[in-house]
Amino acid sequence: MNRIREVLFGSVDRNFYVRNKIQLQERNYGMLITAFSFSTCMCAFLYLMTMVVNLISNLTMFYGFFVLWFCMLTIILLTYVKKHKEWCRVMFFVYVASILYLCAWIGTVNSYDMYAVTFFVFLIFVPSLYVDMPLCSIVITIVSSFIFCLMVLINKSDPRLIQNDLLNALCVSIVSIGYGVYTTNVNLENIHAAIILKEQSTIDELTLLPNRRWFNKNISSIYEQSNVHGLNLYMLDVDFFKDYNDTYGHLMGDDCLAKISSELSKISTSLNIFASRYGGEEFIIIDDKHSYEESSSIANKIVDRISQLKIPHIKSDSGVVTISVGYVNSKISKTENYIQLINYADEALYCAKKAGRNKSCNYETKETKM
């Protein structure tokens, strides 16, 4: 059963296609642009060649039509599909159908006494163009072969040609299915490995939160795309953490950071905001979903949730590990860029520390709350 599942759905789990939908769409979109561009140029070349050799013929008109057809599809790909990449699969099927008809027509209707070599070459290599479940390439191969065989039976009369084409179609279909399953699995495994490597490079190993590299990479675009409420930024720092390390040891310090990170992850998930480790015992939270008025309650909630973990800390005034939070809103503070926003949040954090720690401080009002 596992072998059958791997043949139909690939060597990765089925949720892989859902989790990594965007990455797969980006890869397939790039391949489609290459395929459409190549097909357009090839048809244009064949169109010019037939004009030179045969002046104007049915084949010339046919190639001319496909030049216009592929140009139109390429324009759609570069405009609408670029913004709606979920249509990549549909465009792939349109591309396959177009090439199938072109190759089958040349090998059956236009040249009924010719072996359809072009169609067979296309059928073998089409699975490598698009990354999807192997089941997709299997279905395309079977349907394409069936249509081709049907066109052979309808348009050819020589029994020898028919027999050869049908036999070749059967053999090539088997090779195409095997090659398609193998190629798709290799592509999926490579993409999977690249995604894992990319995730590992942006995930902090200790806290399992996005690291500073992730923050630096994404803060600019999130800042630019922030809504009418502006962008809230929260800078967090664990209080008396050096004393905690000196008292309990660095391994306990790592465990403390892991517990805090786990709680921040839960808060982030529930509020649909982004928490990351900024460095050492500092964390930073990006919030583009809530208004300035809501930021105060969120900052206080973060402070309360961490103190409620009740991680013992004899060197802390409260006897447990606490954090201080400084927060700022890009619209209210009228920041010019995200760097200024980070500096303002850092100033607010300093204000919370100066006020006695285990507090949150608003940069705009300098008001601290416990």
Side-chain angles (χ1 to χ4, degrees), residues 92 95-96 121-130 137 140-141 176 179:
F92 176 68
Y95 175 76
V96 170
V121 173
F122 161 74
L123 195 61
I124 291 177
F125 289 102
V126 69
S128 62
L129 296 176
Y130 192 84
S137 64
I140 288 174
T141 300
S176 179
Y179 176 75

Side-chain angles (χ1 to χ4, degrees), residues 171-232:
C171 294
V172 172
S173 296
I174 294 172
V175 173
S176 179
I177 289 173
Y179 176 75
V181 171
Y182 171 77
T183 304
T184 302
N185 279 322
V186 169
N187 286 333
L188 287 172
E189 288 171 2
N190 289 339
I191 292 172
H192 192 203
I195 289 171
I196 290 175
L197 187 63
K198 184 178 179 180
E199 287 176 349
Q200 288 176 343
S201 70
T202 56
I203 297 295
D204 181 68
E205 186 176 358
L206 172 64
T207 63
L208 300 182
L209 288 175
N211 57 21
R212 187 161 180 169
R213 177 183 293 185
W214 177 92
F215 175 82
N216 291 339
K217 183 179 179 181
N218 290 279
I219 182 61
S220 177
S221 59
I222 296 175
Y223 180 86
E224 296 297 331
Q225 296 169 14
S226 56
N227 58 32
V228 292
H229 298 299
L231 181 69
N232 295 315

Side-chain angles (χ1 to χ4, degrees), residues 252 254-264 306 309 311-312:
M252 289 295 291
D254 289 347
D255 185 61
C256 172
L257 290 177
K259 289 178 180 177
I260 292 173
S261 302
S262 177
E263 194 64 23
L264 290 177
I306 300 304
L309 292 175
I311 303 172

Side-chain angles (χ1 to χ4, degrees), residues 282-305:
E282 283 190 324
F283 301 87
I284 198 161
I285 294 178
I286 306 171
D287 175 15
D288 61 348
K289 299 294 189 298
H290 301 88
S291 65
Y292 167 73
E293 290 73 20
E294 295 172 293
S295 62
S296 176
S297 62
I298 292 173
N300 294 331
K301 181 178 182 178
I302 294 170
V303 172
D304 292 340
R305 289 278 290 270

